[in-house]
Amino acid sequence: MQGLMMNYPLTLQHAFTRATTIFSRNTIVTQTEGEPHCYTYKEWGERVMQLANALRQAGVQQGDRVATFGWNTYRHFELYYAVPCMGAVLHTLNIRLFVDQLLYIINEAEDKFIFVDGDLVPLLEKLAPQLPSVQLYVIMGEAPYGTGALQPAVDYEAFLAGQPAVYEWPQLEEDTAAAMCYTSGTTGNPKGVVYSHRSIFLHSLGVCLADGMGLCEQDVALPVVPMFHANAWGIPHAAAFTGTSLVFPGRFLDPARLARLMESQHVTISAGVPTIWIGLLHLLEREQYDLSALRAIYCGGSAAPRSLIEGLARKGINLLHAWGMTETSPLASMARPRRLQAEQSLDELFRVKATQGTISACVDFRVVDMETGQQVPWDGRSYGELQVRGPWVARAYYKDTGSAARFADGWLRTGDVAVVDENGMLQLVDRTKDLVKSGGEWISSVELEGLIMGHPKVLEACVIGVPHPKWGERPLACVVPKPEYADQITTEELFEHLRPKVAKWALPDAIIFVEAIPKTSVGKFDKKVLRQRFETYPLD
């Protein structure tokens, strides 16, 4: 016997109609060099349909890839809906990738159009002669440093001009491709993840759940996480479902500009990687801003140190730890304290908030021993690789690049090492490639980093494994002091800080001070670069 419910396709067209009719007066703000740009969802919707008409007139057909190379702005948000709702595929390009990686991605995806922010034009001009599939470049804003090498090219506003603000969306199957992102390519070539309308639809509902980000109509959301990074963690899509007002930072990502934007626009939620919030906390320790409207900051991309969570809490800001990856759309877990922790100590609450918390509804998980392949006990101690599956989790990569190694028996092998406690709460210990294997024992680089960043004089810390003739590998800590303590911090006081908290054999063999820690294209610590730099570092 089958159910008698309607076969209603789960597509982004529903979210678009909902945003432009029910929530037509809610606003979308973008920070610019001068006054912020502001318009309503109704005005946004009209421009989205103009854009769809322009794309169709220019020859874009269903299934064509339309790429973006830009910041978080209202124009980028217009593309987020015009392209997939007409049946094409939005391909967001990471503006921080190396040239050879961008070439690989654009050519593998066979992008037909590229929409590029004006100040980023020089980056693309270097690649243009090697992009045979690209038929048109659309420049979003002036290109003050461009040389005219992007040809043929047209201004975004001229592209829309004269187009009707009405578009009859085609009927789409819910498994139609809507968007694609590539992984950051920290090992090997980047891998393409293709999201369907159905997966984005369901993921948006997961973002809106109270145990997700709890996005609602009364919120004002500031996605600091780039729109090329796993669809800005689903916030722009979820916002259309709920009518959440949006604030886009554009290219202005320094802590002071972000704080002023949060203050002036009464932002209620924001999201970004730990390095963004480390900078904000350092600013708030020196300057005053009224961020009282802020109900939560969502942090992901890499583990947030407990000291950051506690430091923001002292400023009245609730940081919530999320976990996910490009392959999981990305939201897959959230570290909200649960009922079973309600009466525990403040110390225990902060411990829980520093974990990855509870897996999201609709996502299944298991933690598997990396040598035996068997599931590990839920004892909070046994390590294993985290594997997940669900309706917004990838089942393969585009053109199957690297799929065999990352997908097993219907599960995505995340490459994250985790423990799970008796209540099913997750804590990531490290990436499989970042664990330090010393004399047969595993040492968590993430745990050491969090403890070092708990020292009041430390801004950032990154721990890597360095080859050792006796133990195989030993941990080396690279530390960036806070500027005001650059001449007042010693390695010995950091060791004194660690000794009561870490077993002697797990202490770093050396702590060195550096001016900056290299970052990946999505703002994570780039341990690959540090390992190359210090692979011959002499350890005692």
Side-chain angles (χ1 to χ4, degrees):
M1 181 177 180
Q2 293 186 330
L4 300 176
M5 296 296 100
M6 293 181 181
N7 185 16
Y8 183 84
L10 307 182
T11 73
L12 289 175
Q13 295 167 356
H14 170 79
F16 174 81
T17 302
R18 183 172 168 83
T20 56
T21 55
I22 299 174
F23 306 116
S24 61
R25 297 174 64 183
N26 290 3
T27 58
I28 300 160
V29 173
T30 299
Q31 182 64 62
T32 69
E33 194 72 64
E35 289 297 314
H37 175 278
C38 181
Y39 65 174
T40 64
Y41 269 108
K42 180 178 184 296
E43 294 166 317
W44 166 79
E46 291 170 350
R47 283 172 57 89
V48 167
M49 289 188 283
Q50 284 184 292
L51 177 55
N53 277 305
L55 289 166
R56 181 172 62 179
Q57 183 175 312
V60 173
Q61 301 177 6
Q62 292 190 24
D64 284 342
R65 271 73 72 200
V66 177
T68 62
F69 196 70
W71 305 102
N72 291 17
T73 67
Y74 68 96
R75 291 188 180 107
H76 207 160
F77 186 47
E78 289 166 3
L79 284 151
Y80 255 52
Y81 275 83
V83 174
C85 285
M86 69 180 295
V89 183
L90 183 73
H91 178 200
T92 53
L93 298 169
N94 186 330
I95 66 176
R96 300 190 182 106
L97 287 181
F98 294 116
V99 167
D100 58 343
Q101 292 178 320
L102 277 172
L103 280 172
Y104 174 84
I105 288 169
I106 295 169
N107 287 327
E108 183 180 80
E110 298 176 288
D111 293 323
K112 192 168 185 176
F113 284 14
I114 299 182
F115 286 73
V116 52
D117 271 323
D119 61 318
L120 300 175
V121 164
L123 296 177
L124 271 191
E125 287 183 323
K126 302 173 184 177
L127 311 182
Q130 303 175 68
L131 304 176
S133 67
V134 180
Q135 299 177 11
L136 181 68
Y137 298 92
V138 183
I139 315 300
M140 298 186 289
E142 295 182 4
Y145 308 110
T147 65
L150 296 186
Q151 293 297 328
V154 62
D155 174 73
Y156 184 92
E157 298 303 324
F159 190 61
L160 267 62
Q163 295 292 342
V166 177
Y167 192 95
E168 186 174 343
W169 303 120
Q171 286 192 335
L172 300 174
E173 297 295 329
E174 62 181 25
D175 61 354
T176 300
M180 63 191 302
C181 295
Y182 275 72
T183 61
S184 54
T186 53
T187 55
N189 284 323
K191 301 171 183 65
V193 178
V194 182
Y195 308 102
S196 66
H197 280 261
R198 179 179 186 268
S199 72
I200 295 176
F201 192 110
L202 293 173
H203 181 263
S204 298
L205 300 184
V207 171
C208 295
L209 287 174
D211 282 338
M213 294 188 188
L215 218 60
C216 69
E217 189 269 343
Q218 296 183 41
D219 275 320
V220 178
L222 169 63
V224 182
V225 53
M227 294 173 80
F228 58 72
H229 187 191
N231 300 320
W233 299 351
I235 293 173
H237 289 129
F241 277 85
T242 58
T244 299
S245 292
L246 283 165
V247 178
F248 292 118
R251 59 184 173 85
F252 307 103
L253 301 177
D254 61 282
R257 291 292 288 265
L258 289 175
R260 288 197 295 270
L261 193 58
M262 288 177 173
E263 183 178 58
S264 64
Q265 299 299 323
H266 307 289
V267 168
T268 63
I269 75 156
S270 189
V273 296
T275 50
I276 291 290
W277 308 129
I278 289 170
L280 179 67
L281 176 58
H282 188 54
L283 174 73
L284 296 179
E285 289 172 340
R286 296 178 283 110
E287 301 179 22
Q288 293 291 321
Y289 293 89
D290 181 4
L291 304 183
S292 57
L294 198 59
R295 68 169 175 82
I297 277 177
Y298 295 96
C299 185
S302 56
R306 176 170 167 171
S307 59
L308 173 64
I309 301 171
E310 292 179 340
L312 287 171
R314 289 193 294 271
K315 300 298 178 181
I317 297 174
N318 180 29
L319 186 146
L320 290 170
H321 213 188
W323 172 80
M325 48 201 310
T326 303
E327 293 91 333
T328 65
S329 293
L331 185 62
S333 77
M334 183 70 70
R336 291 184 183 275
R338 287 169 39 186
R339 181 184 301 176
L340 53 92
Q341 282 109 22
E343 296 182 1
Q344 295 182 358
S345 67
L346 189 61
D347 179 74
E348 176 64 10
L349 287 176
F350 279 121
R351 186 198 68 78
V352 170
K353 292 185 73 173
T355 71
Q356 282 62 46
T358 306
I359 208 76
S360 300
C362 299
V363 177
D364 296 333
F365 81 100
R366 65 183 187 182
V367 178
V368 176
D369 186 279
M370 292 177 287
E371 295 178 354
T372 68
Q374 301 299 309
Q375 292 193 51
V376 304
W378 287 19
D379 58 11
R381 298 187 304 275
S382 300
Y383 288 11
E385 182 186 43
L386 175 61
Q387 301 180 359
V388 295
R389 66 185 181 189
W392 58 73
V393 179
R395 59 180 171 83
Y397 292 119
Y398 183 60
K399 296 188 176 179
D400 212 38
T401 307
S403 292
R406 291 296 299 273
F407 300 91
D409 303 321
W411 294 85
L412 167 69
R413 301 180 58 190
T414 67
D416 282 314
V417 181
V419 297
V420 55
D421 71 13
E422 66 275 12
N423 299 303
M425 296 190 72
L426 289 168
Q427 180 164 11
L428 297 190
V429 177
D430 219 327
R431 295 286 292 167
T432 53
K433 63 180 182 292
D434 293 333
L435 280 169
V436 180
K437 188 70 175 288
S438 179
E441 297 288 344
W442 293 110
I443 300 173
S444 168
S445 66
V446 170
E447 181 181 2
L448 285 174
E449 288 162 0
L451 290 171
I452 295 170
M453 284 190 278
H455 192 282
K457 295 182 182 179
V458 172
L459 182 64
E460 293 179 338
C462 186
V463 174
I464 57 171
V466 174
H468 191 280
K470 180 178 180 180
W471 303 111
E473 276 188 324
R474 289 297 298 159
L476 169 72
C478 301
V479 174
V480 180
K482 291 179 179 177
E484 60 269 31
Y485 296 115
D487 299 324
Q488 305 174 31
I489 187 171
T490 65
T491 57
E492 182 54 34
E493 66 182 297
L494 293 181
F495 277 117
E496 287 299 317
H497 173 73
L498 289 175
R499 286 187 183 106
K501 304 176 178 68
V502 179
K504 184 178 180 180
W505 58 268
L507 284 169
D509 271 27
I511 296 174
I512 59 176
F513 296 113
V514 296
E515 290 186 3
I517 292 173
K519 308 293 193 304
T520 69
S521 60
V522 292
K524 302 177 185 179
F525 293 154
D526 197 336
K527 297 189 177 185
K528 174 178 80 279
V529 173
L530 288 178
R531 280 193 288 264
Q532 291 170 350
R533 184 186 302 174
F534 296 108
E535 64 182 347
T536 60
Y537 189 86
L539 297 177
D540 295 335

